[in-house]
Amino acid sequence: MKRAPSSPKQQLESREQDARQFGKVFLVGAGPGDPELLTLKAVKAIAQADVILIDDLVNPEVLQHAPATARVVNVGKRGGCKQTPQEFIERLLLSEAQAGNCVVRLKGGDPFIFGRGGEERDHLQAEGIEVDVVNGISSGLAAPSSIGVPLTHREWSQGAVFITGHGKTPDANPDWETLAKLNLTLVIYMGVARCAEIQASLLAGGKSGDTPVAVVQSATGTAQAQLITTLAELPQALAQSQIGSPAIIVVGDVVRCATQTALATISRDEPERLSA
């Protein structure tokens, strides 16, 4: 004898019962590197964690807020290095939450700015898992601020665009020539490896070669280093500086607001690496 299909009310009650049995997942932004930039809400989430999945770019000092009993799992994700597959991370988040654990997914910067937080949230919620998102300070904000560069300025830029240096597929790459025509600050994540291609496309779109550019590596961390140059000199200057990932590239006249020490390199023929 076949069982009668559940009514919508019964289905809702079943999901609510499952949610009470399951644990909870916090997608937490740990900020750009300085552990003091962690938010109070992030500290509270970490303090109640049974399991913490931590990215490579998170400063391990933030784990001082975790319970001594918390299990910490490294799920490194860094461009050009061996990475933990995203599918594995999502399965692990789900299994730990289904086991009744309070799970904290610690990400560098903000989970909803190039952090795949949206994908993880959708996957978990589809399985009936409660998810809270705790925003963090993105490196796209912290990197320029660390050298005195505002993203907007009434004289030079009325807005900013956050862009990835590469899309998921070649067809999804940013339209750099269109972006070049906007009088906005361009904040480029994960663009170091493709800086020559990005530069050529921006120049082809009409962006002046004299446009100031800042590159900031490991913003607010002890290994921070920065480069001030121009769009015309970007690939060569970056290669000479030995600055690499993780780094933020800022393109726009707002870079003229950089600290005097950094600005001193704009007029030099060979911009140099500046230690923070």
Side-chain angles (χ1 to χ4, degrees):
M1 183 175 180
K2 292 185 178 179
R3 179 182 298 177
S6 301
S7 67
K9 181 180 179 181
Q10 290 172 325
Q11 292 175 4
L12 177 60
E13 290 174 347
S14 177
R15 286 196 297 270
E16 290 177 345
Q17 183 177 2
D18 287 343
R20 288 192 294 269
Q21 293 172 349
F22 292 160
K24 182 175 181 178
V25 174
F26 290 89
L27 304 179
V28 177
D34 182 350
E36 293 187 357
L37 292 177
L38 200 66
T39 67
L40 291 175
K41 191 169 185 178
V43 170
K44 291 178 181 178
I46 294 170
Q48 58 185 299
D50 298 308
V51 182
I52 298 174
L53 275 62
I54 185 170
D55 277 348
D56 279 348
L57 297 181
V58 175
N59 189 326
E61 289 185 32
V62 303
L63 293 175
Q64 65 182 296
H65 302 293
T69 55
R71 179 158 46 91
V72 178
V73 182
N74 291 299
V75 287
K77 296 187 75 65
R78 183 180 298 199
C81 302
K82 184 177 179 180
Q83 299 191 27
T84 304
Q86 182 65 24
E87 295 77 11
F88 172 82
I89 294 173
E90 291 178 5
R91 288 198 305 270
L92 185 57
L93 287 170
L94 178 60
S95 65
E96 292 292 351
Q98 288 178 330
N101 290 317
C102 176
V103 187
V104 169
R105 172 80 168 98
L106 266 180
K107 300 169 176 286
D110 182 277
F112 272 14
I113 301 181
F114 304 120
R116 299 191 181 180
E119 299 172 33
E120 293 171 358
R121 178 176 177 269
D122 289 346
H123 176 76
L124 292 164
Q125 288 189 330
E127 299 293 337
I129 303 299
E130 183 180 358
V131 181
D132 267 6
V133 177
V134 181
N135 294 114
I137 296 176
S138 173
S139 56
L141 296 173
S145 294
S146 70
I147 57 171
V149 173
L151 294 184
T152 63
H153 191 290
R154 288 195 299 172
E155 292 187 21
W156 289 322
S157 177
Q158 282 64 55
V161 181
F162 285 10
I163 324 152
T164 178
H166 58 86
K168 186 175 181 179
T169 65
D171 292 339
N173 285 330
D175 184 348
W176 297 107
E177 293 190 23
T178 297
L179 289 167
K181 296 175 174 59
L182 303 177
N183 188 29
L184 300 173
T185 306
L186 304 182
V187 183
I188 305 170
Y189 294 66
M190 301 168 284
V192 170
R194 298 185 60 193
C195 76
E197 180 181 341
I198 293 169
Q199 178 227 37
S201 296
L202 289 174
L203 292 173
K207 184 71 74 176
S208 171
D210 292 332
T211 304
V213 177
V215 185
V216 184
Q217 173 185 303
S218 302
T220 76
T222 56
Q224 176 173 329
Q226 54 268 350
L227 167 74
I228 303 291
T229 184
T230 61
L231 186 60
E233 299 292 335
L234 176 59
Q236 179 183 3
L238 191 54
Q240 291 175 348
S241 73
Q242 299 183 349
I243 285 177
S245 298
I248 293 290
I249 301 174
V250 182
V251 181
D253 284 328
V254 292
V255 174
R256 301 183 188 280
C257 295
T259 57
Q260 290 301 310
T261 303
L263 278 174
T265 65
I266 274 187
S267 61
R268 297 180 185 174
D269 292 334
E270 296 182 357
E272 64 186 34
R273 184 179 188 272
L274 301 173
S275 295

